[in-house]
Amino acid sequence: YINPTSITIITLSIIMGTIMTMSSSNWLMAWIGLELNMLAILPIISKPKTTRASEATIKYFLTQAIASAMMLLSSTTNAWQTGSWDILELKNKFSTTIMTLSLMMKMGAAPIHFWLPEVLQGTTLQTALLITTWQKLAPISLMYMISNNIQPALLMSAGILSMIVGGLGGINQTQLRKTMAYSSINNLGWTIMIMALSPNLAVMNIFIYMIMTTPIFLMMTSTSTKTLQNLTTTWTTSTATTLSIALLMLSTSGLPPFTGFLPKMLALNELITQKLTTLATLAIMTSLVSLLFYLRITYLIMVLTSP
């Protein structure tokens, strides 16, 4: 049981922190917003009184604190060079690179993704939903604001790496929260890669991902499903829910008739228009790898459990 006053304060702090970061034009205010947001979510992650939850809280705190320190380093260096704290004035190459890495770390994109599956596995499904959706809004909006100044090569290589890590990491998982974490890394890869060419498309991509992930987590919460094995037994009690989870998983993977295919198709179209055919081919290949584990889950639900 948590005091209603505490819940209200924590919820307001999380919302206010994100909104502060998204609406500020100054690096210091953006940083304060991110800090407020991070400090408010720590009690939520550590709410289950288990050692895993405490471990997840520490891991989350340490990675976010390091990312915040990198963010301060970047914006201070830039302020020294340009004399401006303005977000849009991030002109210094060193600052831009450090800032990009810091934002990727905050989101949980490869190569600094290690904390995300561990933190999600150590906490409840509702908190996992919060971390994979709401907590990505502030870093994504900052990355969107500085996207003109980031070197495209950095974004594209990090994007492809996230896709590969997300695809390969999810294959052998039986824990659904870890699977969803790798799915998140994979989708972030697409978002970051296309951020270099079309920031608006990147924002659309992440929003569609959030719209698809939210019902998956909510349905997993309502059926209290945490592993693949749980998922195979929920078919008998709640068929519609289990079927919806399967279809949403396929949508998240980007299989053609579903919504998730749209942002991927537009991203590939953009890559090919910019004569980046090799990158587009790589993206399709990694997308196939991630499709493998989504199909495996769907197969387990649909084929093995249906009467």
Side-chain angles (χ1 to χ4, degrees):
Y1 172 75
I2 298 187
N3 186 331
T5 318
S6 321
I7 293 180
T8 313
I9 293 171
I10 289 170
T11 311
L12 281 176
S13 301
I14 288 177
I15 294 169
M16 205 168 82
T18 301
I19 291 173
M20 253 174 88
T21 302
M22 289 172 79
S23 57
S24 63
S25 60
N26 181 302
W27 278 120
L28 281 178
M29 287 307 287
W31 178 79
I32 290 168
L34 283 168
E35 287 300 293
L36 177 66
N37 177 289
M38 175 192 72
L39 290 172
I41 202 173
L42 294 177
I44 296 182
I45 301 174
S46 63
K47 185 178 177 282
K49 292 287 171 278
T50 58
T51 44
R52 294 212 64 165
S54 312
E55 192 183 322
T57 313
I58 298 289
K59 282 175 181 168
Y60 186 82
F61 172 72
L62 287 175
T63 43
Q64 298 294 321
I66 293 167
S68 293
M70 284 166 68
M71 198 174 159
L72 269 185
L73 168 72
S74 162
S75 48
T76 313
T77 312
N78 187 65
W80 266 334
Q81 297 283 320
T82 61
S84 164
W85 283 98
D86 200 303
I87 289 181
L88 299 172
E89 293 296 314
L90 196 73
K91 296 284 192 283
N92 184 355
K93 225 172 195 177
F94 169 78
S95 294
T96 315
T97 309
I98 296 289
M99 184 61 74
T100 310
L101 287 172
S102 149
L103 293 175
M104 283 186 210
M105 193 169 180
K106 279 204 169 289
M107 289 186 273
I112 327 168
H113 64 279
F114 302 101
W115 62 273
L116 189 65
E118 296 296 321
V119 170
L120 291 201
Q121 189 53 38
T123 187
T124 62
L125 285 165
Q126 293 100 317
T127 315
L129 168 64
L130 192 62
I131 294 170
T132 48
T133 54
W134 183 263
Q135 293 299 93
K136 289 194 182 4
L137 289 177
I140 284 276
S141 58
L142 285 176
M143 194 179 262
Y144 178 82
M145 285 191 253
I146 62 166
S147 58
N148 285 339
N149 301 326
I150 309 175
Q151 293 146 294
L154 175 65
L155 285 176
M156 287 178 189
S157 45
I160 283 288
L161 190 62
S162 294
M163 286 184 211
I164 294 169
V165 165
L168 293 176
I171 287 177
N172 217 10
Q173 295 299 335
T174 53
Q175 295 287 343
L176 284 175
R177 277 167 297 181
K178 276 196 174 174
T179 309
M180 293 306 289
Y182 284 110
S183 151
S184 168
I185 295 167
N186 181 38
N187 274 283
L188 265 178
W190 281 90
T191 305
I192 290 170
M193 180 186 70
I194 208 62
M195 186 74 82
L197 303 173
S198 169
N200 292 342
L201 190 53
V203 171
M204 182 189 118
N205 183 33
I206 201 75
F207 270 110
I208 288 182
Y209 162 72
M210 286 175 189
I211 290 166
M212 291 184 301
T213 306
T214 308
I216 294 180
F217 271 115
L218 292 176
M219 284 189 278
M220 274 160 53
T221 311
S222 70
T223 53
S224 61
T225 308
K226 288 189 176 69
T227 62
L228 269 181
Q229 198 167 6
N230 292 157
L231 208 52
T232 55
T233 53
T234 51
W235 180 273
T236 46
T237 51
S238 42
T239 316
T241 308
T242 320
L243 188 64
S244 304
I245 291 178
L247 293 175
L248 279 161
M249 288 277 188
L250 287 180
S251 181
T252 319
S253 72
L255 206 62
F258 300 104
T259 318
F261 174 62
L262 179 72
K264 290 191 177 181
M265 185 187 68
L266 292 172
L268 291 171
N269 179 43
E270 187 68 36
L271 286 173
I272 292 164
T273 310
Q274 303 278 358
K275 302 276 188 293
L276 295 163
T277 323
T278 319
L279 197 65
T281 314
L282 252 174
I284 294 170
M285 300 296 269
T286 53
S287 174
L288 281 176
V289 178
S290 64
L291 184 64
L292 186 67
F293 72 80
Y294 288 114
L295 278 174
R296 179 166 154 258
I297 294 171
T298 317
Y299 173 79
L300 278 172
I301 297 172
M302 311 277 260
V303 182
L304 296 185
T305 57
S306 55

